[in-house]
Amino acid sequence: MADGGRTEGGRVGGSGLAGGRRGTGADRPAEPEWLTPSPTSPGTRPDLPESTAYRLKRRLLGPPLVSEQLHGERLGRPTALAVLSSDVMSSAAYASESILRILIPAAGLGAFALITPITALLLVVLGIVCLCYREVVKAYPVSGGSYVVSRESFGYAVAQIPGAALLCSYTLTVAVSVAAGVDAVLSAFPGLDFSPAAPVVLALVFVALLTFGNLRGIKEAGRVFAVPTYWFIASMVVLIAVAVVRLALHGSLPHAPAVSGQLQVGPAGPGLLLGASAFIFLRGFANGGSAMTGMEAISNAVSVFREPQVRNARSTLVLMAATIGTLFLATSVIAALTHAVPFVSGTPTVLSEMGRLLFGTGPLGQVAFYSLQFSTALILILGANTSFNGFPLLVSFIAADSYLPRPLTTRGHRLVYSNGILLLAGLSVLLLVVTRADVAALIPLYATTVFTGFTMAGAGMTRYFMTHDVPHRRRGLGISVFAGGVSGVVTLIFLVTEFTRGAWAVAVVIPLLILALSRTHRRYEAEKAVLAEEAAPARAGAPILRRQEILVLVDRVDLATVRALQLARSVAAGGRVRALHFSIDDERAARLTRGWAHLGLGDISLEVVECPDRRLARAVVELAGDLASDEETEVLLILPRRASHGPVGRLLHDRTADRIVAAVTAIPHVSATIAPFDVRRLLGARRDAPDGAVALLDPDAAAPAVAGASHHLSEPAGR
């Protein structure tokens, strides 16, 4: 646009507003030492200091791991069992109690006769699910569990059903495990429950510790979590052994005394269900299904096993199922024999009641009791680690398929999916706060989401064996059909019996989540179509426009502006460089023109564009659009930005440059870039400078020093 032209955004001043002669070395003032860049030898790079945030991250998480070390982070079977099965192992601490909470108010003491048959039925389902997931690991060793099975069998759209269910399941796993762990702590130390908010506060602290441990990396998390897992198993073995010995010696076990705070015991009735209706019986069955949460973790994390991955994963899966089955059955039998009645508040827990009864009050008994409680609390809290291993892997698969944001596919500082870990932590904290860390409120949501994934895994493997000619096909098909059918029935039982107690939220959240995943995918697909690689060669071969206009937007005369000018002149390639100031303040514009004159850039004058309505982005868009409207001119806008990092920098500086860039990029043949200038580094250097150093805050006072700095910088191309 010619000087003196007019746009809707305002009037452009003539080139005579500013100008001036470039100063010579004799009449230039000496530059302050803090303003002069340190020279570097050819072939060497300048010293680049690390940011405070990075130094803090390195101190907290350890040195970064390089990609070549990823294989070294694989887990052997003992460590993998501890890391990946801590969730399902820990459910032995609350699954039996969850059954009793449903049965005791309805069937009274008859609940203790029903709990063992219900547990046996659940163990049958557990065995079927275990066999199904052995086939999943063998057929799809790439990790991903029911999500990958459904994706390969039914397509990407259907795969979002187990994907959404598993996202909910992993989040609930963290919430349930941590909340149950807090109950175990409060059962051992009732004095900690000094406030209604105490359980929530403790739960949030534990989530923070888990997040920190996993951000350090898989191997270190495995070392941390292996000891509590095996300690819990050993403590449970001791409890079972004491119960067996006392039963052999006395023929019975002591009964828990009736005290205030326990659930109200209903009257036992006659018949097969002993006063409990079929609906109540199924509710107890549904709540006990929480013992199987975490069964999918190994199939979702096959890639973390050492070679041979498939064999190690399958054998670990069987060992995990056998261990939890034994612990769950033993806990239910001991609860039935001791008549341990759950408390309304959740503390003391049924497991702690059994421990006090069986271990007694002697010194050894107290040691055994606190060992049981400490190990239970640790395994419950660290049981959430199953999610911290499985959730990031799962979301990386979904994100790689363009159904979640792609930053979730990026490995972080310690070769873990840091974004997935932080996302899981945030969702879990929200859930714990909303439910006040109440296990009873979380259980109905928990099992429903888990068995939805089991159902889809069985259906997907059924399709797999029907379409693939593989060894032992008939056996695999039979297992898959049975597992899918049983899991589907159990899922319906959960939804029907627990619908009014929280399962309705799952029925609402999962479809909404599937909708969100689908919309994310459509957005990525739309962007892919717009940026199609097939069209790139044709665009790349398009003729270069005859003219080029490079505009530097100036809001003050300082080093940041000088740096932007240098960038503009280095890329000019024969094109014209223009400096523009969009004026919303006449006095400020006059000061800028005076400061510009001192720069001595006779070939680049400062043009002032009046912007009376103060709509800067609009004015820039109109000007750029006018320049590019002839279809022969390529326009490049360069905007200086004073980069001052951190919250203080964001508070002190606006984001006008970002808004302008976003506005102009929609115009054909118009591009925009930001030239950042690190102000914080100079501020640090200036603190050590002698008194009397040049102040850059005043354009008039700063101009001589800025002019000197512009000469000190490398001479631009084309001069």
Side-chain angles (χ1 to χ4, degrees), residues 2-3 54 108 213 239 317 352 373 389 401 418 629 659 718-719:
D3 293 344
Y54 179 80
L239 179 71
L317 179 62
S352 69
Q373 287 306 108
N389 282 277
D401 294 335
S418 304
S629 62
R659 292 195 294 271
R719 288 289 300 165

Side-chain angles (χ1 to χ4, degrees), residues 334-389:
I334 295 174
L337 294 176
T338 58
H339 289 191
V341 178
F343 282 75
V344 175
S345 65
T347 57
T349 62
V350 165
L351 187 60
S352 69
E353 289 184 78
M354 295 189 301
R356 287 193 183 277
L357 284 172
L358 296 178
F359 293 140
T361 58
L364 287 178
Q366 288 294 94
V367 170
F369 172 75
Y370 283 106
S371 174
L372 175 65
Q373 287 306 108
F374 278 130
S375 63
T376 301
L378 282 176
I379 190 65
L380 283 166
I381 294 166
L382 299 182
N385 187 64
T386 299
S387 289
F388 279 99
N389 282 277

Side-chain angles (χ1 to χ4, degrees), residues 222-233:
R223 285 197 294 263
V224 170
F225 301 149
V227 173
T229 300
Y230 290 114
W231 183 14
F232 172 73
I233 294 174

Side-chain angles (χ1 to χ4, degrees), residues 382-658:
L382 299 182
N385 187 64
T386 299
S387 289
F388 279 99
N389 282 277
F391 183 91
L393 284 170
L394 175 66
V395 296
S396 73
F397 279 109
I398 300 177
D401 294 335
S402 301
Y403 283 88
L404 279 174
R406 286 179 183 151
L408 293 170
T409 64
T410 304
R411 291 187 182 271
H413 185 76
R414 299 284 293 178
L415 291 180
V416 294
Y417 295 107
S418 304
N419 292 331
I421 291 172
L422 294 174
L423 175 62
L424 175 61
L427 294 174
S428 303
V429 165
L430 178 63
L431 193 57
L432 285 166
V433 171
V434 169
T435 61
R436 298 181 181 272
D438 183 3
V439 177
L442 291 165
I443 288 294
L445 307 174
Y446 194 21
T448 307
T449 58
V450 173
F451 272 87
T452 300
F454 293 167
T455 303
M456 294 302 299
M461 290 306 298
T462 299
R463 178 71 177 271
Y464 172 84
F465 284 113
M466 292 177 65
T467 56
H468 291 74
D469 187 12
V470 295
H472 310 294
R473 179 186 176 197
R474 290 186 176 180
R475 185 188 68 184
L477 180 61
I479 291 173
S480 302
V481 170
F482 196 33
V486 169
S487 298
V489 170
V490 174
T491 303
L492 289 176
I493 291 173
F494 291 156
L495 284 174
V496 172
T497 61
E498 298 296 324
F499 187 82
T500 60
R501 294 168 179 83
W504 65 268
V506 176
V508 172
V509 169
I510 289 182
L512 290 177
L513 190 52
I514 293 172
L515 178 62
L517 295 173
S518 300
R519 289 181 66 88
T520 301
H521 181 69
R522 285 199 297 269
R523 174 60 181 268
Y524 274 126
E525 288 298 303
E527 292 181 359
K528 181 179 178 181
V530 171
L531 302 172
E533 294 182 5
E534 294 77 7
R539 292 293 182 92
I544 298 175
L545 299 185
R546 185 170 59 87
R547 297 177 55 196
Q548 183 183 32
E549 290 275 2
I550 301 179
L551 311 179
V552 179
L553 303 190
V554 178
D555 63 339
R556 69 182 68 177
V557 179
D558 60 8
L559 287 175
T561 299
V562 170
R563 180 69 188 92
L565 284 169
Q566 183 195 29
L567 174 62
R569 297 174 71 169
S570 67
V571 301
R576 185 162 64 123
V577 177
R578 299 169 60 186
L580 299 178
H581 171 68
F582 287 81
S583 175
I584 59 176
D585 184 334
D586 291 341
E587 182 179 350
R588 177 176 176 81
R591 293 178 65 207
L592 281 175
T593 56
R594 291 195 301 271
W596 191 266
H598 289 289
L599 285 179
L601 299 176
D603 58 336
I604 303 179
S605 60
L606 179 66
E607 304 174 36
V608 178
V609 180
E610 293 181 359
C611 186
D613 58 2
R614 296 171 302 284
R615 299 170 65 191
L616 293 177
R618 175 77 177 185
V620 175
V621 167
E622 290 176 350
L623 178 59
D626 284 348
L627 292 173
S629 62
D630 60 2
E631 299 292 333
E632 295 183 354
T633 303
E634 190 76 34
V635 179
L636 171 63
L637 288 91
I638 299 179
L639 298 86
R641 179 165 67 188
R642 291 89 191 154
S644 184
H645 308 288
V648 175
R650 286 190 290 271
L651 178 65
L652 298 180
H653 299 280
D654 60 22
R655 290 292 180 266
T656 302
D658 299 88

